Amino acid sequence: MEQYKQEFIEFMVDCNVLKFGDFVTKSGRKTPFFVNTGFYRTGSQLVKLGEYYAKAIKDKYGVEFDVLFGPAYKGIPLSVTTAMALSNLYGADIRYCSNRKEVKDHGDTGILLGSPISDGDQVIIIEDVTTAGTSVNETLPIIKAQGDITVAGLVVSVDRMERGQGEKSALEEIKETYGIETTAIVTMAEVVEHLYNREYNGAIIIDDTLKMAIDKYYEQYGVK
């Protein structure tokens, strides 16, 4: 596993973003792990987060694209910090863009924030965690309405590796439905691989009991 992936997993633990216990997802699934990106709250955390996203984007797509699009609301700071990281790490001057939830009719009018999107632009969408496709379904018409645009990819922080609407993973469903290449900074399989029976900050985060709970969860909800 790449070094930056290992560092990102530990970074999520340090920021209290990655938690283990008893949780219920929006879909009603009882899960032994939870990713809450709302716990990235400081400037230094956002700087690091942007760097991890930038490295994942570089690995999957390279940096020969035009616009990084972050859907409102969580995608807005992600698009900004990652665009900055792409510039700092790779010298790639990528434009950032986000949408408003409500169209503004005065001053800086329209539905978009940041850079306009124009004919011929290659766009990568950036989100927080694996989506069921709802956000992409809302975002694509906004992007496509701007002209002859190619959506080159979708990047998220964590792939939960569980079924979406059918038997495939949410990211696989997005690829199949919309023809968009997807990637994540890390998958839950990589998280488990890195933390299982390994001491970090003086504690074993994923012990045998928790590993059994995670395995049981994937027996029920994992991709077949």
Side-chain angles (χ1 to χ4, degrees):
M1 188 191 314
E2 294 89 335
Q3 182 67 30
Y4 79 85
K5 290 175 176 281
Q6 298 177 39
E7 292 175 359
F8 179 64
I9 293 166
E10 294 171 4
F11 173 66
M12 286 194 292
V13 172
D14 291 341
C15 295
N16 209 28
V17 166
L18 175 61
K19 301 179 181 181
F20 297 96
D22 295 311
F23 307 96
V24 178
T25 66
K26 286 182 180 179
S27 60
R29 297 174 179 176
K30 293 182 179 180
T31 174
F33 58 88
F34 195 73
V35 180
N36 185 353
T37 58
F39 277 84
Y40 296 123
R41 294 174 174 173
T42 72
S44 62
Q45 289 172 348
L46 287 174
V47 168
K48 283 187 175 182
L49 181 60
E51 291 173 351
Y52 293 126
Y53 267 109
K55 290 174 182 178
I57 289 170
K58 173 73 159 50
D59 277 359
K60 177 71 174 183
Y61 308 108
V63 294
E64 298 299 319
F65 65 98
D66 303 294
V67 179
L68 194 59
F69 188 94
Y73 289 102
K74 287 185 177 179
I76 296 174
L78 295 180
S79 66
V80 173
T81 189
T82 305
M84 294 170 69
L86 287 165
S87 175
N88 292 334
L89 293 177
Y90 307 116
D93 201 19
I94 306 297
R95 288 140 48 203
Y96 87 91
C97 182
S98 296
N99 64 294
R100 294 183 172 97
K101 289 288 189 179
E102 301 83 17
V103 177
K104 189 177 178 183
D105 59 5
H106 61 280
D108 182 17
T109 60
I111 198 169
L112 299 183
L113 296 166
S115 171
I117 305 176
S118 306
D119 284 349
D121 279 343
Q122 297 270 336
V123 177
I124 288 178
I125 300 171
I126 184 169
E127 297 224 52
D128 53 355
V129 293
T130 304
T131 170
T134 304
S135 179
V136 172
N137 190 48
E138 295 172 352
T139 300
L140 279 178
I142 296 171
I143 296 174
K144 294 289 189 179
Q146 310 307 310
D148 183 14
I149 313 299
T150 299
V151 178
L154 165 70
V155 58
V156 299
S157 62
V158 180
D159 180 0
R160 288 183 57 98
M161 298 181 67
E162 59 189 77
R163 296 196 306 275
Q165 303 300 316
E167 293 300 312
K168 297 182 178 179
S169 75
L171 288 183
E172 288 174 330
E173 288 178 350
I174 289 169
K175 180 177 180 180
E176 188 175 87
T177 302
Y178 303 104
I180 300 173
E181 290 293 330
T182 63
T183 194
I185 303 174
V186 294
T187 66
M188 276 306 300
E190 290 170 328
V191 169
V192 173
E193 174 190 338
H194 185 62
L195 295 179
Y196 177 48
N197 275 345
R198 175 177 176 271
E199 186 174 304
Y200 179 66
N201 285 345
I204 300 294
I205 297 174
I206 300 181
D207 58 13
D208 289 338
T209 301
L210 180 55
K211 175 67 161 54
M212 287 178 62
I214 294 171
D215 289 345
K216 185 176 180 180
Y217 180 79
Y218 278 114
E219 286 175 8
Q220 184 172 4
Y221 297 115
V223 179
K224 304 298 184 183

